[in-house]
Amino acid sequence: VTKDPEAQFSTWSKAVETLVVMTTSLKMWCNRSLLSAVLKHCRHFIDHFVRHGMPLVERLFRKKRIGCVDLIKNLQMATRFLQTICSHSKISQDVSLANNVPLLKKSLEVLVFRVKAMLAANDCLDAFVLGNLKNRDLQGEEILSQASIEEDDEGEEGEEEEAAESDVDLGGEDESEEHELAEGDSAMSIEV
């Protein structure tokens, strides 16, 4: 174990890249036991990152802004897919998978707020965007929810084509927080 912040940052970068590869590989090789293992163990990784990785990123943010943002963006790829796995376990009503979801979602929420706090402390809050994730299946295809079906009936097809480009559906400032939480899982997006 090293005390050198640069070496620690490099180790965290490699660990996050490994997490991204592990989670995104589930799009091709997906079975119930792998999903269960990912839901169980990714929570521990996220918690460990929040406790040990985020303080390091916060310390290095002023010196290595681009590197820190890249690390968070890479982690974001994994967390978005973890949210997809959580949605899948809810839709498939698999109790053994669903048992791991609340703790994982709590860890993901803590991560989002920790990143937001770091950006606020560094006067970069405008780079942080919080939106609702679209419901997707494990292969990445959008799942139509009841709200989506009702919107389609009203003839808002143009919005659907624009929204297909991103996983995050950004809410307007005039929308209530209750509506935002009811529609889907929140996700962060950082732009530099």
Side-chain angles (χ1 to χ4, degrees), residues 47-146:
D47 289 342
H48 193 71
F49 182 80
V50 167
R51 277 193 307 276
H52 302 287
M54 279 305 297
L56 176 70
V57 171
E58 290 168 354
R59 280 195 315 268
L60 293 176
F61 189 78
R62 292 190 193 270
K63 292 182 209 171
K64 296 181 69 156
R65 177 175 287 193
I66 304 282
C68 291
V69 169
D70 287 343
L71 176 69
I72 299 297
K73 282 184 175 183
N74 283 341
L75 184 59
Q76 179 182 2
M77 287 191 290
T79 60
R80 283 185 178 182
F81 194 70
L82 289 173
Q83 290 281 11
T84 300
I85 295 171
C86 290
S87 295
H88 168 76
S89 65
K90 182 179 175 182
I91 291 168
S92 67
Q93 297 179 350
D94 189 334
V95 175
S96 66
L97 291 177
N99 286 339
N100 298 304
V101 170
L103 293 174
L104 177 60
K105 283 194 173 198
K106 181 180 178 188
S107 297
L108 293 171
E109 184 177 335
V110 168
L111 175 66
V112 168
F113 288 117
R114 191 71 188 265
V115 169
K116 184 176 180 180
M118 177 196 66
L119 291 172
N122 288 290
D123 296 325
C124 297
L125 195 55
D126 55 335
F128 183 85
V129 177
L130 184 65
N132 292 331
L133 280 180
K134 295 178 182 178
N135 288 327
R136 296 192 181 273
D137 63 13
L138 293 176
Q139 286 70 40
E141 299 296 322
E142 189 171 349
I143 299 171
L144 294 177
S145 65
Q146 186 65 33

Side-chain angles (χ1 to χ4, degrees), residues 8 12 29 56 60 115 124-125 133 153 155 165 168 172 174 180:
Q8 289 178 345
W12 275 113
W29 300 292
L56 176 70
L60 293 176
V115 169
C124 297
L125 195 55
L133 280 180
D153 290 343
E165 297 174 12
V168 181
D174 59 337
E180 182 177 314

Side-chain angles (χ1 to χ4, degrees), residues 3 9 15 41 69 75 114 151 156 173 187:
K3 299 270 184 196
F9 186 80
H41 300 293
V69 169
L75 184 59
R114 191 71 188 265
E151 285 179 7
E156 296 179 358
E173 291 181 14

